[in-house]
Amino acid sequence: MTATARTSADADPERPDDPATPVASGTAGDAGAAETRRSARSGVAGLVGAATSGLFGFVLAVVITRGYGTAGAGAFFAAIGVVTVATAVCTLGAETGLMWALPRRRTGVRGDAARVLPVALIPPLLAGLLVAGAGTLAADALAPRLLRGSGDAAGALLTVTFAAVPVVVAMTLLLAALRCVRPIRAYVGVQFLLLPVARPVLVGAAALAGGGLLAGMTGWLVPAALALLVSLTLVAGPIGLGRGAALRPNRADWSTFWRFALPRAASAAIDAGSMWVGVLLTSVLAGPADAGVFGAVGRYVLAGQLAMQGLRVAVSPQLSRLLGRGERAAAAAVHRQLTTWGLVLSWPVYLLLAVFALAFLQLFGPEFTAGVPAMTVLALAMLVNTGVGNVQSLLLMGGRSGLHLVATLAGLTVTVSLGLWLIPGHGATGAAVAWAAGIATENLTAAGFARSVVREPLVDAATLRAAAATAVGVGAAAGVGVLVGGRGLSGLVVALGVLAAGCVGLLTLPRVRAGVRVTMRQIRGRDGAAAADGPVPVSTRGR
């Protein structure tokens, strides 16, 4: 049963963006305003969590690179790549399937949401157990190629990595369910706080104790088991597990879910493993030292993407609900607002990474400064990724996982083809050029598909003005920093000082202050127009 069949009496007051919100008459503008207010509040929570995750992700990268050196870090990053890619393959797209399906179902003891869990969990867990068994048996043979630089512990390290795959698969799926059935603060607490905070603490303790790569990888994996238990506990209540909710799915549940999820299976593996495929290819084709450098560069690049990730997980259930009802105008309004937010937050990071790559990589150690060209190339490519916004979410939450797969396959083909050609001769820089080309290909293809599916403008004048102002402002500050202090740490400090002064100056402008006040009212739900959680007008349906 879809969410549109629910009555207001069935609504769960704790559930974010509850699809039981009654539908009333109104205008498309009212719907867009109401939905952007919702997205503003959930988006801020996602951004705060993403910022925390990015900070501790950087701390983890410093711990790994400082604790294990280039070769050891290359092996460590390759082990993380193995479990990340294996998990993405084994989930079979079910995590995105849950994000798409659960917002369209009823929660609680009398609801039908619980029936989705066996459908979504059983096949991926079986796949995870199969991969874990095969991987542990083949670990000794695979380790010399995949984990070069890990020494005598290579076989044991790969065995532990493969054995953890079912746990990480279950954690990934339950986190997706958690985002849909609890307020976003619960998801943020597990995904963006528990995992990223615990990992550098445990890995750092292992490195300080001289435990080696095996102990360090164990410290990286243990928080996944903790997150699994916490997520299961938090999901059980709203869905009605243990309180009589029906768990037995019918045939239609299986066919509906997997028609959506299976095309996503391949694209999910590509999305999650895009960087790690580069690390593994670099390890095999160029050696562990280059893999360590590329892995360190990749940590910065992924950290800069966390703002977009935080926004995506915050509003994906909302987009699923809107697109499921045919309210394309409201969904496009949400997308445009969050694209502008993500661009303003992410472009300064990537522009500074491109210009001051030397300063950032020096924090990992002098041997990692060989990755400066790779950092610059990837940072510029990520401007495209963040500039088009979360177009992938629009495709997936609109049920068009097949089109998303086409876009990701196009990106993967470019990445692997160029990687096989460039990595042997150019190492980490060749891997970066290959990945950058794949990023641009995938995102531009997905943006074209999303525009044709939603049939609403995905970019507006506000987005273009924000892009131009951000590029000009950050570019000017970076230029001053380079002229005064070069591309090292001193130049970065100058650029950050100029940026800070510029931001303070902007806040003195009445127009900027007015915009900040509007955003704060959206976040607090005091917009003075319709209530932020008020009805979604029916007139946007199909627009």
Side-chain angles (χ1 to χ4, degrees):
M1 182 180 295
T2 62
T4 54
R6 297 177 63 187
T7 65
S8 60
D10 294 324
D12 183 350
E14 274 201 322
R15 188 175 173 187
D17 304 323
D18 194 272
T21 302
V23 178
S25 61
T27 65
D30 293 337
E35 294 299 343
T36 52
R37 287 191 290 269
R38 286 188 180 93
S39 66
R41 292 193 297 278
S42 57
V44 167
L47 286 172
V48 171
T52 304
S53 180
L55 172 62
F56 283 94
F58 170 74
V59 172
L60 175 62
V62 172
V63 168
I64 293 173
T65 53
R66 290 285 187 177
Y68 298 102
T70 52
F76 203 122
F77 287 135
I80 295 175
V82 168
V83 72
T84 302
V85 174
T87 298
V89 171
C90 292
T91 53
L92 304 176
E95 77 285 12
T96 307
L98 285 168
M99 295 279 283
W100 170 75
L102 284 177
R104 304 173 183 224
R105 288 177 174 255
R106 294 171 298 150
T107 55
V109 174
R110 292 175 295 175
D112 57 353
R115 297 206 317 251
V116 178
L117 287 185
V119 175
L121 287 171
I122 291 174
L125 287 176
L126 291 176
L129 290 170
L130 180 63
V131 168
T136 53
L137 291 176
D140 289 336
L142 293 173
R145 296 293 295 172
L146 291 178
L147 304 183
R148 294 163 61 186
S150 55
D152 296 335
L157 178 59
L158 199 56
T159 298
V160 169
T161 299
F162 275 115
V165 168
V167 175
V168 183
V169 168
M171 177 203 72
T172 302
L173 296 177
L174 287 173
L175 277 171
L178 176 62
R179 172 61 192 100
C180 296
V181 302
R182 289 278 191 183
I184 190 173
R185 60 180 177 270
Y187 177 89
V188 167
V190 180
Q191 175 69 51
F192 291 148
L193 294 178
L194 173 60
L195 282 171
V197 173
R199 278 173 168 161
V201 171
L202 295 179
V203 174
L208 289 174
L213 286 171
L214 180 59
M217 189 64 189
T218 303
W220 189 87
L221 291 169
V222 165
L226 296 176
L228 167 61
L229 296 176
V230 173
S231 298
L232 179 59
T233 302
L234 292 173
V235 166
I239 287 186
L241 297 180
R243 296 189 290 120
L247 278 170
R248 185 174 182 179
N250 57 39
R251 183 174 298 179
D253 292 325
W254 288 93
S255 59
T256 300
F257 185 88
W258 287 108
R259 271 201 307 268
F260 172 86
L262 280 179
R264 172 60 177 153
S267 60
I270 297 167
D271 285 344
S274 57
M275 169 191 157
W276 303 111
V277 167
V279 171
L280 295 173
L281 280 175
T282 306
S283 180
V284 171
L285 298 176
D290 275 287
V293 170
F294 183 70
V297 169
R299 299 306 297 181
Y300 274 118
V301 171
L302 294 180
Q305 198 177 10
L306 282 171
M308 296 298 292
Q309 180 186 352
L311 293 171
R312 180 176 65 250
V313 300
V315 302
S316 286
Q318 183 183 6
L319 290 175
S320 175
R321 172 171 56 80
L322 291 172
L323 293 172
R325 290 174 171 173
E327 296 169 6
R328 295 190 295 270
V334 169
H335 173 81
R336 289 192 296 269
Q337 180 188 52
L338 295 188
T339 297
T340 303
W341 282 25
L343 185 152
V344 169
L345 293 170
S346 298
W347 276 25
V349 175
Y350 287 121
L351 289 169
L352 291 176
L353 286 175
V355 177
F356 299 103
L358 177 64
F360 286 104
L361 290 171
Q362 283 175 335
L363 297 175
F364 290 151
E367 64 270 34
F368 288 91
T369 57
V372 167
M375 176 89 89
T376 301
V377 168
L378 283 173
L380 294 176
M382 294 304 289
L383 297 178
V384 177
N385 182 27
T386 52
V388 299
N390 282 317
V391 289
Q392 291 87 348
S393 292
L394 282 177
L395 289 175
L396 292 170
M397 295 302 102
R400 305 304 296 270
S401 54
L403 290 178
H404 184 265
L405 175 59
V406 172
T408 52
L409 283 176
L412 178 66
T413 301
V414 171
T415 298
V416 174
S417 300
L418 287 179
L420 292 173
W421 176 37
L422 295 174
I423 291 173
H426 302 280
T429 302
V433 171
W435 189 19
I439 289 170
T441 300
E442 176 184 345
N443 281 277
L444 294 176
T445 304
F449 286 154
R451 178 65 178 86
S452 66
V453 168
V454 178
R455 298 199 295 276
E456 294 284 344
L458 301 183
V459 176
D460 58 9
T463 304
L464 296 176
R465 286 194 300 268
T470 302
V472 171
V474 178
V480 172
V482 171
L483 289 174
V484 174
R487 299 183 65 185
L489 186 58
S490 58
L492 174 60
V493 170
V494 172
L496 291 174
V498 172
L499 274 179
C503 291
V504 172
L506 285 174
L507 290 175
T508 64
L509 300 177
R511 184 174 180 180
V512 173
R513 291 202 305 273
V516 172
R517 283 195 295 270
V518 169
T519 301
M520 293 305 297
R521 285 198 298 269
Q522 288 179 338
I523 294 167
R524 295 168 182 166
R526 302 169 184 170
D527 205 353
D533 292 320
V536 178
V538 73
S539 64
T540 61
R541 201 176 289 248
R543 290 172 64 93

